[in-house]
Amino acid sequence: MQKRTYIFSLLFLSLCGMVIAQEEDNIGTETVTVVKPYSPTVSDAFKIKSSPSLNDSIVLQKKKINYSIFSVPVASTFTPAKGKASGVEKTPPPTLYNSYASIGLGNYNNALVDFYSSREFNRGEDLLDFGLTHNSSRGDLDSTPLETDFYDTKLNASYAKKDRYMDWGAAIGLQHQLYNWYGIQSELFSEDEINAMDETQNYFNAEAKAHFNTEDSPFKSGALLLRRFWDAVESAENRALINPTFELPITEELITISAKVDYVGGSFQNGSITEGANEGEKKYSNLQAGVTPSLLILRDDLTINLGANIVYGLDMENSENNFYIYPAVTASYRVMDENVIAYGGVEGELKQNNYYDFVNDNPFVSPTLDIIPTDQQYEGYLGLKGQLTSNVGYNIKGSYMAENRKPLFFHNPINTSLDDEKSYYYGNSFQVFYDDVKTLGVFGEINVDVNRNFSLGINGEFYDYDTETDNPAWNLPSIKGSVFMDYQITDQWYMGANLFYVGERDDLLSQIDPLDSELQFQQVTLDGFFDANAHVGYRFNEQLSIFVKASNIAGNNYQRWANFRVQGFQALAGVSYKFDF
């Protein structure tokens, strides 16, 4: 910049000198030629290296130094305190035994025997079970001059196998029951007639069952039942039931198809008691084939099952058949998680009635029954269930059901003109009467788990019946209720109790006049009754325990069926033992 200023100053002075010179002297005209103009430039800046490279032999080279550590051990006197984990009291796991035996004896010559054994093989994949139960009584009742003995003996064996994706099992069972038709009106018969009566009936049952369940397969499960049931007067019945189930997932929904083939057939060697003479053999043979497709819909708290039950019914003995279509719709909705769950449905079915089921409901039926299926057109119900608190559960339900040919029990008439092998025609047995019945019902129950050792429950049922014949719904109570309790008092002592109530029932007593064969009827109403039962036990150790059971504590000789009074107060004491077999 100084150089440029100098040049410009020089040029300016030269021009001023020329002007002054022209003013003073006229030196003439000259031409100035500029060979090259001045073009200044600026060099690029560069950084001086911090460690310049020197190429000088005089510079001394640095000597390499190796460092090492000289370790000297120092004795330490510090000793850390040992930690101690907090103790947690654990309940020792109970010892499991594979066998169990129990025996008890009581008044009325009552006896109880119970045995069970279970064996595992192949690391629990195979299971073999055996069971034997016996319950009997050989006591007499003051209300009747006839024998009142009964006993019930069952023997069962089963085998089950479980694999990773399926499990299956099979079982066989044998049963022998003995009952007596002891419910006669003693004042109507002479001592000789009573002494000539053979009132004992024996029932025998042999059955085989099988089941099969799979995973990750459209064929979900299957069940098979084969049964032979017969009695001491040559009545016999065969039952075969096959029930496979399939599941087909479609998008997010699940379609379930349940199929059924149900056959029951048999014969009674004796005809109806209402006839003047024995008509001879009565046969029955009913076949049902049905399918129930249903669609399962799951939406958050809502579950809906939409389906229909389609059944083909064939009366093979009378060559009659019919198709039935029933609703199969159920739904549930969680209103408040587990606290309030609303549920409901409309369902129907063709019930396969049979001699075996009738005997289990009423062992005093006569071997002269008519066996036909019940057409349950529909049963609609609505209810609420859930948890009031963490330990209080409840269930409330209202229902309405329409049934055609509903079986009802009432007394056979007294018909002394018969001379069958067994004495069930003295008004001391029951027949089945079919009526069309509509039933309105209300059900409620509450279960309370007070703590781990004490539980309590109560339930009640109320019914109103409307029959097509305008007769009462024979031997069906309008009210039923029960209370139960279980209490583990200490590790050794335990007890339980239950109380149930059955309301009034209507029955029909009748007699055939031997002179004109006319039926004389008398309707009776049986009183409602309470029955209280309790048991208490003491465990000496994990294997040995003793118990005492009391039944009908109030000692009320009530009538469960008309003219069939029960035993009074009953007490039974026994011992139980667990062991490995």
Side-chain angles (χ1 to χ4, degrees):
M1 290 295 295
Q2 293 178 355
K3 186 176 181 180
R4 182 180 298 176
T5 304
Y6 173 79
I7 294 173
F8 279 115
S9 301
L10 182 61
L11 291 175
F12 178 77
L13 292 176
S14 299
L15 291 175
C16 290
M18 290 176 61
V19 172
I20 296 173
Q22 288 177 357
E23 289 180 356
E24 296 181 357
D25 297 320
N26 188 10
I27 63 176
T29 301
E30 291 184 6
T31 302
V32 178
T33 302
V34 179
V35 177
K36 183 179 180 181
Y38 177 73
S39 300
T41 61
V42 178
S43 299
D44 294 334
F46 61 91
K47 183 179 180 181
I48 300 176
K49 295 181 179 179
S50 59
S51 298
S53 178
L54 299 177
N55 187 11
D56 193 342
S57 60
I58 302 176
V59 178
L60 298 176
Q61 299 293 328
K62 294 181 179 181
K63 185 178 179 180
K64 184 177 181 181
I65 300 175
N66 294 323
Y67 296 93
S68 61
I69 298 175
F70 179 68
S71 299
V72 178
V74 178
S76 176
T77 59
F78 172 74
T79 302
K82 294 181 179 180
K84 185 178 181 181
S86 299
V88 178
E89 184 178 354
K90 293 184 178 179
T91 302
T95 304
L96 300 179
Y97 299 93
N98 62 16
S99 299
Y100 164 86
S102 178
I103 185 171
L105 297 173
N107 62 336
Y108 291 100
N109 291 321
N110 292 345
L112 172 67
V113 177
D114 192 3
F115 171 79
Y116 174 78
S117 181
S118 178
R119 301 294 301 273
E120 291 185 353
F121 305 92
N122 298 330
R123 298 181 180 180
E125 293 183 356
D126 299 81
L127 186 65
L128 183 62
D129 294 340
F130 293 96
L132 172 66
T133 60
H134 172 83
N135 187 16
S136 64
S137 174
R138 298 188 179 277
D140 295 327
L141 295 178
D142 296 335
S143 60
T144 177
L146 300 180
E147 295 290 336
T148 60
D149 299 355
F150 80 89
Y151 66 80
D152 185 0
T153 303
K154 296 179 182 179
L155 175 64
N156 297 287
S158 65
Y159 173 78
K161 183 176 181 60
K162 186 174 182 180
D163 294 328
R164 183 175 181 182
Y165 297 107
M166 69 176 183
D167 65 88
W168 62 274
I172 58 173
L174 300 174
Q175 183 179 14
H176 178 206
Q177 297 171 285
L178 180 147
Y179 289 93
N180 285 282
W181 291 295
Y182 63 85
I184 62 171
Q185 301 179 64
S186 305
E187 66 276 8
L188 299 181
F189 306 101
S190 66
E191 184 176 352
D192 291 338
E193 288 178 312
I194 292 175
N195 292 334
M197 293 181 184
D198 182 6
E199 68 276 17
T200 301
Q201 170 68 302
N202 287 273
Y203 299 109
F204 305 91
N205 180 59
E207 65 181 28
K209 296 180 181 180
H211 71 270
F212 187 83
N213 301 305
T214 63
E215 296 182 7
D216 301 329
S217 172
F219 176 68
K220 200 63 179 177
S221 64
L224 172 67
L225 169 65
L226 299 175
R227 175 186 293 136
R228 171 74 172 180
F229 182 72
W230 69 101
D231 62 19
V233 290
E234 299 182 8
S235 306
E237 178 182 82
N238 298 315
R239 178 85 183 273
L241 175 61
I242 302 174
N243 186 202
T245 301
F246 303 86
E247 288 186 356
L248 304 174
I250 298 179
T251 61
E252 298 181 353
E253 317 302 343
L254 182 66
I255 293 180
T256 302
I257 301 175
S258 178
K260 179 182 71 172
V261 178
D262 190 354
Y263 169 79
V264 62
S267 63
F268 296 103
Q269 294 300 314
N270 301 306
S272 174
I273 296 178
T274 57
E275 300 297 328
N278 196 330
E279 299 173 342
E281 187 178 26
K282 297 174 63 174
K283 294 183 178 181
Y284 59 95
S285 181
N286 299 312
L287 174 66
Q288 296 180 14
V291 61
T292 305
S294 61
L295 174 65
L296 180 62
I297 301 174
L298 300 175
R299 293 292 185 274
D300 296 330
D301 295 327
L302 178 64
T303 301
I304 301 177
N305 202 332
L306 302 175
N309 186 9
I310 305 170
V311 183
Y312 172 73
L314 173 62
D315 184 345
M316 302 174 67
E317 190 66 30
N318 298 311
S319 300
E320 298 178 357
N321 61 82
N322 205 346
F323 273 101
Y324 303 85
I325 300 179
Y326 302 101
V329 179
T330 61
S332 66
Y333 180 71
R334 298 179 183 272
V335 181
M336 297 176 59
D337 295 330
E338 297 296 329
N339 296 328
V340 180
I341 301 175
Y343 66 94
V346 181
E347 299 178 273
E349 63 174 323
L350 186 63
K351 292 182 179 180
Q352 187 74 289
N353 294 318
N354 54 86
Y355 188 31
Y356 174 83
D357 289 340
F358 286 151
V359 168
N360 285 333
D361 292 338
N362 183 351
F364 307 111
V365 293
S366 64
T368 61
L369 306 180
D370 294 319
I371 307 293
I372 58 176
T374 295
D375 175 20
Q376 181 185 304
Q377 295 179 312
Y378 61 86
E379 179 186 12
Y381 56 91
L382 289 173
L384 291 174
K385 62 181 179 179
Q387 299 287 127
L388 293 176
T389 63
S390 60
N391 61 342
V392 179
Y394 68 94
N395 185 10
I396 303 173
K397 183 177 74 171
S399 63
Y400 185 79
M401 180 167 55
E403 296 174 285
N404 293 333
R405 304 187 302 272
K406 181 179 179 66
L408 304 172
F409 297 109
F410 70 81
H411 261 76
N412 277 314
I414 299 173
N415 188 357
T416 55
S417 63
L418 296 179
D419 58 354
D420 296 345
E421 178 184 352
K422 293 291 184 177
S423 302
Y424 52 82
Y425 45 85
Y426 291 98
N428 56 340
S429 65
F430 293 82
Q431 62 178 295
V432 174
F433 174 74
Y434 294 92
D435 201 349
D436 296 344
V437 182
K438 293 179 173 61
T439 306
L440 177 65
V442 177
F443 169 80
E445 67 175 352
I446 294 179
N447 297 307
V448 182
D449 293 326
V450 179
N451 52 46
R452 293 180 57 185
N453 299 324
F454 183 52
S455 62
L456 177 69
I458 181 171
N459 64 66
E461 302 174 68
F462 306 89
Y463 298 102
D464 180 68
Y465 305 101
D466 182 16
T467 64
E468 182 69 20
T469 59
D470 291 331
N471 293 320
W474 305 115
N475 276 296
L476 291 182
S478 298
I479 180 174
K480 293 192 297 183
S482 64
V483 179
F484 68 88
M485 178 195 69
D486 284 307
Y487 184 32
Q488 184 70 41
I489 305 171
T490 66
D491 292 340
Q492 287 78 35
W493 289 97
Y494 63 92
M495 67 169 295
N498 65 75
L499 170 69
F500 62 88
Y501 173 77
V502 176
E504 293 182 347
R505 292 94 58 217
D506 292 311
D507 203 344
L508 188 67
L509 303 181
S510 59
Q511 180 176 1
I512 296 178
D513 192 324
L515 298 178
D516 55 13
S517 298
E518 260 188 46
L519 270 173
Q520 301 173 355
F521 296 97
Q522 178 188 1
Q523 182 176 330
V524 296
T525 300
L526 305 179
D527 295 333
F529 62 87
F530 283 98
D531 196 327
N533 309 281
H535 68 271
V536 62
Y538 179 81
R539 297 186 180 93
F540 292 97
N541 50 48
E542 293 182 346
Q543 293 182 266
L544 182 63
S545 62
I546 58 175
F547 61 88
V548 176
K549 296 183 177 181
S551 302
N552 196 7
I553 295 175
N556 181 16
N557 296 101
Y558 58 84
Q559 299 180 73
R560 174 61 184 91
W561 305 96
N563 298 330
F564 284 84
R565 294 193 176 275
V566 302
Q567 296 175 347
F569 174 77
Q570 305 155 51
L572 183 144
V575 58
S576 298
Y577 185 70
K578 299 178 183 178
F579 58 96
D580 284 326
F581 179 71

